[in-house]
Structure formats: structure tokens, C-alpha cells
Amino acid sequence: MNNFEEKLQKLEKLSEDIKRGDISLEEALKDFEEGIKLAKGMEKELDAIEGKIQILMNSPDESEPAEEDKEPGSPAKKSRKAAAPQQSEPVLDLFNSGMELNGTRNA
């Protein structure tokens, strides 16, 4: 089976076969083992595909010239990361002297 769709169909058939009422325990176990192996192989394929998609999504737009290929003085296009506003980390000012709670200090 070379094709992912064919493997998925085989896995669905194995699942249906296991659910049959007239299947022996040995046959069900054999189908289950085959299904687990098939599912693990398909999971690896999906992980590889996902990795390729992530690379494609995170790579710079190839239609844009690289920074070193641009003419001097031409404005550089900001990357998506550079264009995103910088977020500062939250500040927890729990012990600010200007902020007193009732009953916490002697007058």
C-alpha cells in the first residue's frame, strides 16, 4: 500500500472486521495488531507531512528577493515576526509602598 488513502481504507476495514460478531478472538487480535502497526505508520507519515507544512508556512516568501539581493537604499520588507508588536512581560507589583491595605501598617 503506497497511498495514504488506501492505508486509511484498510484501517477502516480492519476496524469493521473486528466489530463483527462472527469473528474469532484470534482473528480479531490479528486484525487489531495489523491495525495498530498501520495506524502507527500513518501517524509517522502525518508527522512528516506536518513538519513539511510548518517549514513551508515559516519560510520567507520566495517571490521576495533576499535581503542581500535587494538594491542598496531600497526599503526592506519587515518580516512577520518583526512586524508583530512587542509584548512586555506582566509586572506583579505586590509590594508597592504607595498601596496600603487596611490594617497592614501602623499609623
Side-chain angles (χ1 to χ4, degrees):
M1 277 179 259
N2 300 331
N3 183 317
F4 189 85
E5 288 80 13
E6 290 174 359
K7 291 177 184 177
L8 184 57
Q9 288 176 352
K10 175 67 175 175
L11 188 59
E12 289 172 349
K13 184 177 181 330
L14 289 169
S15 177
E16 290 171 9
D17 288 347
I18 290 171
K19 294 174 186 175
R20 285 190 348 242
D22 64 339
I23 190 171
S24 70
L25 182 58
E26 291 79 21
E27 289 178 41
L29 181 59
K30 180 181 154 270
D31 286 351
F32 181 77
E33 288 175 359
E34 185 179 350
I36 292 295
K37 289 177 186 177
L38 192 56
K40 286 182 179 182
M42 292 170 65
E43 185 176 19
K44 286 180 183 179
E45 285 183 52
L46 286 175
D47 289 343
I49 291 168
E50 183 180 359
K52 288 178 183 178
I53 290 171
Q54 289 296 327
I55 289 169
L56 291 171
M57 295 296 292
N58 293 325
S59 67
D61 187 4
E62 291 185 18
S63 65
E64 291 288 321
E67 289 295 319
E68 57 272 3
D69 295 339
K70 289 187 177 186
E71 294 178 23
S74 67
K77 184 178 179 182
K78 291 184 180 180
S79 70
R80 291 182 187 145
K81 287 184 181 179
Q86 296 291 329
Q87 295 180 355
S88 61
E89 292 190 29
V91 177
L92 298 175
D93 197 10
L94 300 175
F95 302 104
N96 185 345
S97 61
M99 196 172 122
E100 294 184 25
L101 299 173
N102 292 336
T104 59
R105 293 200 178 208
N106 294 334

